[in-house]
Amino acid sequence: MTADFSTPTPLLLLADTSDQPMVPGAAVLRMETTSSRVGLFDGAWWPRSRDIEAQLPGLVTALTAQLGPIARVGLDASAWDRAPGHLVIDDRMVRIDWSAVEDHTMIITRGPQDHFSFLVIPLEADAAAAHAAMTMAIQDGNCTSAEQILADTGILPA
């Protein structure tokens, strides 16, 4: 049997959820599951509270359904009330790496070299600004920093 190379392999994209309502707790995804991703962010997340134990499991469960097991999550320590080193989510231990950078980003690690970058919308954002920031973050080829996106959408002072 010979392989047919005339038909290109389709790009593996996760569902684009950018047309769904933006509410606290929402994750907006437009993520390529290949190593040749372009743009700064693969998704955006708007948590409902500063309680990491309440907020992260739902996101990790949803991402696991699309991506497979999540090994690590990198978060900004200043955005959360507590900073545990790991959480057990759906009977799997997920390591949490904390930084003090205050850069409004989150890194999801699926495997040793497969990372997804998310913009994290501050809690105080209103729905219209959060929608605009989430949409801007996931545009193809976006290279705008989290701080600039949040300033451009009025969530943070310019």
Side-chain angles (χ1 to χ4, degrees):
M1 178 181 249
T2 60
D4 178 10
F5 295 104
S6 61
T7 306
T9 304
L11 184 61
L12 300 174
L13 296 177
L14 294 179
D16 181 351
T17 61
S18 61
D19 62 345
Q20 294 179 5
M22 305 296 167
V23 296
V28 177
L29 309 173
R30 182 177 290 154
M31 302 193 305
E32 297 177 41
T33 54
T34 70
S35 60
S36 63
R37 295 188 292 266
V38 294
L40 193 55
F41 295 106
D42 303 301
W45 182 39
W46 188 15
R48 292 180 204 148
S49 75
R50 293 176 51 94
D51 180 356
I52 194 65
E53 286 105 349
Q55 297 303 298
L56 194 59
L59 178 65
V60 168
T61 297
L63 290 174
T64 297
Q66 296 294 318
L67 297 173
I70 303 299
R72 304 170 90 118
V73 177
L75 292 165
D76 176 6
S78 68
W80 304 96
D81 291 335
R82 293 182 9 103
H86 70 277
L87 291 177
V88 175
I89 301 172
D90 299 329
D91 297 322
R92 287 187 53 91
M93 186 178 79
V94 176
R95 182 174 169 171
I96 304 176
D97 298 321
W98 296 98
S99 70
V101 178
E102 294 189 45
D103 64 356
H104 301 282
T105 64
M106 171 177 62
I107 304 295
I108 300 289
T109 304
R110 176 174 66 174
Q113 296 183 3
D114 203 1
H115 308 282
F116 298 93
S117 179
F118 280 68
L119 171 69
V120 179
I121 305 297
L123 295 173
E124 64 274 8
D126 67 51
H131 181 271
M134 294 172 100
T135 301
M136 186 183 296
I138 63 167
Q139 288 180 355
D140 290 334
N142 172 51
C143 291
T144 306
S145 72
E147 294 294 323
Q148 190 62 53
I149 289 171
L150 296 175
D152 288 351
T153 55
I155 295 172
L156 294 179

XYZ file of all heavy atoms in Angstrom, residues 10-18 27-45 59-70 106-110 114-119 134 137-141:
432
model
N -5.260 18.111 6.902
C -5.931 19.319 7.386
C -5.278 19.825 8.671
O -4.797 19.047 9.482
C -7.371 18.859 7.641
C -7.280 17.383 7.806
C -6.100 16.930 6.989
N -5.254 21.144 8.830
C -4.752 21.767 10.039
C -5.710 21.434 11.170
O -6.920 21.576 11.030
C -4.681 23.280 9.840
C -4.099 24.111 10.963
C -2.643 23.703 11.218
C -4.166 25.571 10.591
N -5.179 20.977 12.283
C -6.013 20.611 13.414
C -6.330 21.838 14.240
O -5.475 22.369 14.932
C -5.308 19.567 14.275
C -4.964 18.266 13.580
C -4.143 17.378 14.509
C -6.232 17.548 13.153
N -7.548 22.316 14.154
C -7.974 23.482 14.919
C -9.031 23.073 15.919
O -9.893 22.250 15.619
C -8.559 24.554 14.001
C -7.620 25.179 12.990
C -8.386 26.158 12.108
C -6.493 25.892 13.689
N -8.958 23.656 17.099
C -10.027 23.457 18.054
C -11.173 24.376 17.675
O -11.010 25.321 16.922
C -9.536 23.782 19.458
C -8.458 22.846 19.987
C -8.035 23.278 21.376
C -8.935 21.421 20.004
N -12.310 24.102 18.223
C -13.490 24.899 17.914
C -13.238 26.369 18.212
O -12.678 26.715 19.244
C -14.672 24.403 18.738
N -13.648 27.227 17.303
C -13.569 28.666 17.493
C -14.805 29.066 18.275
O -15.923 28.933 17.798
C -13.536 29.356 16.131
C -13.430 30.863 16.237
O -13.548 31.408 17.355
O -13.239 31.492 15.194
N -14.614 29.542 19.500
C -15.755 29.893 20.340
C -15.941 31.404 20.444
O -16.640 31.880 21.322
C -15.583 29.294 21.752
O -14.401 29.844 22.339
C -15.473 27.776 21.713
N -15.326 32.164 19.540
C -15.351 33.619 19.661
C -16.735 34.229 19.441
O -16.958 35.371 19.797
C -14.351 34.262 18.701
O -14.674 33.942 17.368
N -14.117 30.865 28.462
C -12.825 30.701 27.793
C -13.092 30.809 26.308
O -14.001 30.169 25.792
C -12.202 29.353 28.120
N -12.373 31.648 25.643
C -12.511 31.797 24.207
C -11.300 31.136 23.575
O -10.169 31.418 23.941
C -12.573 33.286 23.809
C -12.646 33.429 22.313
C -13.770 33.941 24.450
N -11.547 30.236 22.654
C -10.464 29.438 22.103
C -10.386 29.565 20.597
O -11.383 29.558 19.909
C -10.684 27.956 22.432
C -10.966 27.616 23.883
C -11.333 26.151 23.993
C -9.768 27.931 24.739
N -9.199 29.691 20.108
C -8.891 29.507 18.697
C -7.467 28.991 18.702
O -6.516 29.750 18.632
C -8.992 30.803 17.909
C -8.716 30.568 16.422
C -8.891 31.820 15.615
N -10.286 32.157 15.562
C -10.742 33.388 15.377
N -9.920 34.384 15.259
N -12.020 33.624 15.317
N -7.338 27.685 18.868
C -6.022 27.126 19.114
C -5.657 26.084 18.075
O -6.407 25.153 17.835
C -5.972 26.491 20.501
C -6.306 27.483 21.592
S -5.925 26.932 23.251
C -6.798 25.417 23.367
N -4.496 26.257 17.468
C -3.960 25.267 16.556
C -3.215 24.228 17.384
O -2.428 24.583 18.246
C -2.983 25.911 15.575
C -3.620 26.932 14.668
C -2.587 27.582 13.782
O -1.700 26.873 13.280
O -2.670 28.786 13.598
N -3.460 22.970 17.107
C -2.786 21.921 17.865
C -1.569 21.429 17.097
O -1.371 20.251 16.894
C -3.761 20.776 18.177
O -4.348 20.338 16.957
C -4.840 21.215 19.131
N -0.764 22.365 16.629
C 0.485 22.045 15.944
C 1.585 22.903 16.545
O 1.308 23.850 17.276
C 0.399 22.341 14.425
O 0.360 23.752 14.253
C -0.800 21.692 13.789
N 2.823 22.606 16.217
C 3.927 23.396 16.757
C 4.183 24.662 15.956
O 5.044 25.453 16.307
C 5.192 22.545 16.790
O 5.515 22.132 15.476
N 3.440 24.909 14.893
C 3.691 26.073 14.038
C 2.652 27.163 14.227
O 2.247 27.809 13.286
C 3.711 25.632 12.572
O 2.452 25.115 12.216
N 2.223 27.380 15.460
C 1.217 28.402 15.728
C 1.805 29.794 15.499
O 2.985 30.024 15.734
C 0.718 28.266 17.160
C -0.024 26.962 17.400
C -0.670 26.948 18.756
N 0.275 26.901 19.840
C 0.680 25.792 20.435
N 0.245 24.630 20.025
N 1.521 25.841 21.440
N 0.962 30.717 15.076
C 1.386 32.102 14.924
C 0.498 32.963 15.807
O -0.629 32.617 16.101
C 1.305 32.581 13.457
C 2.303 31.835 12.601
C -0.090 32.427 12.900
N 1.015 34.102 16.222
C 0.272 34.977 17.116
C 0.696 34.745 18.552
O 1.293 33.730 18.891
N 0.403 35.706 19.383
C 0.837 35.664 20.764
C -0.064 34.796 21.630
O 0.416 34.084 22.508
C 0.880 37.091 21.312
C 1.586 37.335 22.617
C 3.013 36.818 22.576
C 1.590 38.816 22.931
N -1.389 34.831 21.405
C -2.327 34.108 22.259
C -3.085 33.044 21.487
O -3.472 33.238 20.350
C -3.322 35.078 22.903
C -2.672 36.032 23.840
C -2.487 37.352 23.491
C -2.212 35.603 25.075
C -1.861 38.237 24.350
C -1.583 36.478 25.945
C -1.403 37.796 25.580
N -3.300 31.930 22.173
C -4.084 30.829 21.625
C -5.509 30.850 22.151
O -6.367 30.138 21.645
C -3.432 29.494 22.013
C -2.005 29.412 21.533
O -1.800 29.510 20.318
O -1.097 29.281 22.376
N -5.755 31.627 23.175
C -7.079 31.690 23.779
C -7.131 32.820 24.783
O -6.151 33.543 24.993
N -8.288 32.969 25.409
C -8.478 33.977 26.449
C -9.428 33.399 27.483
O -10.280 32.569 27.160
C -9.049 35.257 25.851
N -9.276 33.842 28.713
C -10.086 33.324 29.816
C -10.480 34.474 30.718
O -9.669 35.335 31.033
C -9.270 32.297 30.592
C -9.963 31.623 31.734
C -11.261 31.200 31.790
C -9.389 31.264 32.987
N -11.514 30.596 32.994
C -10.375 30.627 33.754
C -8.111 31.426 33.537
C -10.148 30.148 35.036
C -7.881 30.941 34.810
C -8.886 30.308 35.548
N -11.990 25.045 33.638
C -11.210 25.345 32.443
C -10.356 24.148 32.045
O -10.335 23.753 30.874
C -10.321 26.565 32.670
C -9.422 26.934 31.491
C -10.251 27.371 30.292
C -8.430 28.009 31.895
N -9.659 23.558 33.005
C -8.804 22.413 32.697
C -9.629 21.239 32.179
O -9.232 20.569 31.224
C -7.946 22.012 33.918
C -7.271 20.672 33.708
C -6.905 23.095 34.195
N -10.789 21.003 32.762
C -11.660 19.926 32.283
C -12.071 20.166 30.832
O -12.022 19.255 30.006
C -12.894 19.793 33.193
O -12.455 19.430 34.509
C -13.865 18.746 32.672
N -12.460 21.392 30.514
C -12.871 21.711 29.141
C -11.695 21.582 28.174
O -11.857 21.037 27.068
C -13.447 23.125 29.083
N -10.528 22.058 28.567
C -9.365 21.953 27.696
C -8.920 20.505 27.526
O -8.519 20.102 26.432
C -8.213 22.797 28.233
C -8.413 24.307 28.152
C -7.267 25.031 28.840
C -8.572 24.768 26.715
N -9.001 19.720 28.592
C -8.629 18.307 28.514
C -9.516 17.571 27.523
O -9.045 16.720 26.767
C -8.696 17.647 29.909
O -7.740 18.297 30.751
C -8.391 16.171 29.854
N -10.792 17.917 27.483
C -11.721 17.276 26.534
C -11.299 17.549 25.093
O -11.519 16.718 24.207
C -13.143 17.766 26.776
N -10.689 18.702 24.840
C -10.279 19.069 23.490
C -8.825 18.699 23.173
O -8.502 18.354 22.047
C -10.447 20.580 23.281
C -11.859 21.064 23.365
C -12.716 20.537 22.238
O -12.288 20.498 21.100
N -13.919 20.125 22.553
N -7.952 18.797 24.180
C -6.522 18.668 23.948
C -5.906 17.380 24.466
O -4.811 17.024 24.067
C -5.772 19.821 24.637
C -6.065 21.225 24.174
C -5.363 22.233 25.078
C -5.626 21.409 22.733
N -6.572 16.744 25.402
C -5.959 15.642 26.119
C -5.452 16.165 27.449
O -5.654 17.331 27.802
N -4.766 15.319 28.224
C -4.359 15.694 29.581
C -3.489 16.954 29.639
O -2.564 17.117 28.857
C -3.570 14.477 30.070
C -4.052 13.352 29.217
C -4.398 13.948 27.885
N -3.801 17.805 30.584
C -3.048 19.023 30.844
C -2.080 18.721 31.986
O -2.495 18.246 33.045
C -3.990 20.189 31.244
C -5.043 20.441 30.153
C -3.196 21.439 31.584
C -4.505 20.824 28.812
N -1.624 33.325 30.987
C -1.625 31.977 31.540
C -1.033 31.065 30.477
O -1.335 31.211 29.291
C -3.062 31.553 31.857
C -3.219 30.100 32.246
S -4.914 29.668 32.702
C -5.810 29.993 31.196
N -0.188 30.123 30.894
C 0.393 29.150 29.979
C -0.143 27.771 30.351
O -0.028 27.349 31.499
C 1.936 29.134 30.055
C 2.513 30.520 29.784
C 2.518 28.075 29.105
C 2.273 31.049 28.395
N -0.736 27.100 29.397
C -1.227 25.731 29.564
C -0.225 24.815 28.877
O 0.122 25.039 27.713
C -2.617 25.551 28.909
C -3.647 26.487 29.539
C -3.059 24.098 28.944
C -4.063 26.137 30.929
N 0.229 23.786 29.584
C 1.182 22.841 29.014
C 0.529 21.482 28.912
O 0.073 20.920 29.905
C 2.452 22.750 29.888
O 2.996 24.051 30.028
C 3.475 21.828 29.259
N 0.500 20.969 27.695
C -0.076 19.652 27.441
C 0.997 18.583 27.450
O 0.774 17.486 27.916
C -0.816 19.659 26.108
C -1.359 18.303 25.729
C -2.199 18.361 24.514
N -1.414 18.728 23.339
C -1.901 18.743 22.135
N -3.165 18.442 21.922
N -1.158 19.085 21.117
N 4.521 21.373 24.195
C 3.262 21.852 23.627
C 2.598 22.801 24.613
O 1.979 22.384 25.584
C 2.342 20.682 23.303
C 1.318 21.037 22.246
O 1.327 22.182 21.757
O 0.506 20.177 21.914
N 2.765 24.101 24.370
C 2.279 25.141 25.266
C 1.225 25.987 24.560
O 1.336 26.255 23.368
C 3.432 26.059 25.693
C 4.602 25.315 26.227
N 4.636 24.797 27.491
C 5.774 24.981 25.656
C 5.789 24.180 27.681
N 6.498 24.275 26.575
N 0.242 26.414 25.325
C -0.804 27.297 24.822
C -0.839 28.528 25.710
O -0.866 28.428 26.932
C -2.169 26.600 24.841
C -2.218 25.384 23.968
C -1.944 24.122 24.489
C -2.530 25.491 22.621
C -1.987 22.998 23.681
C -2.569 24.365 21.808
C -2.290 23.125 22.345
N -0.843 29.697 25.101
C -0.824 30.953 25.832
C -2.219 31.577 25.830
O -2.849 31.678 24.771
C 0.178 31.898 25.164
O 0.200 33.124 25.823
N -2.673 31.997 27.002
C -3.991 32.608 27.162
C -3.858 34.009 27.733
O -3.058 34.244 28.638
C -4.838 31.811 28.153
C -5.477 30.588 27.601
C -4.717 29.494 27.225
C -6.844 30.510 27.468
C -5.297 28.355 26.721
C -7.440 29.373 26.967
C -6.676 28.298 26.592
N -4.669 34.926 27.240
C -4.877 36.209 27.886
C -5.851 35.957 29.029
O -6.854 35.271 28.833
C -5.483 37.210 26.890
C -5.964 38.537 27.478
C -4.782 39.375 27.950
C -6.786 39.300 26.444
N -10.966 39.710 24.454
C -10.876 38.291 24.121
C -10.829 38.097 22.609
O -10.048 37.287 22.102
C -12.034 37.531 24.756
C -11.969 37.532 26.279
S -13.437 36.843 27.060
C -12.858 35.201 27.435
N -7.393 39.194 21.306
C -6.321 38.268 21.679
C -6.236 37.070 20.751
O -5.142 36.600 20.448
C -6.509 37.786 23.119
N -7.360 36.577 20.282
C -7.341 35.337 19.495
C -7.356 35.555 17.992
O -7.437 34.595 17.236
C -8.497 34.394 19.904
C -9.848 35.027 19.612
C -8.365 33.981 21.355
C -11.000 34.058 19.695
N -7.242 36.795 17.547
C -7.172 37.031 16.110
C -5.915 36.393 15.538
O -4.852 36.441 16.148
C -7.192 38.524 15.801
C -8.528 39.151 16.041
C -8.533 40.636 15.736
O -7.507 41.233 15.428
N -9.688 41.239 15.826
N -6.051 35.802 14.371
C -4.910 35.180 13.714
C -3.768 36.178 13.585
O -3.957 37.304 13.145
C -5.283 34.680 12.313
C -6.223 33.492 12.350
O -6.212 32.761 13.360
O -6.962 33.287 11.375
N -2.582 35.758 13.981
C -1.401 36.581 13.833
C -1.262 37.701 14.842
O -0.356 38.522 14.724
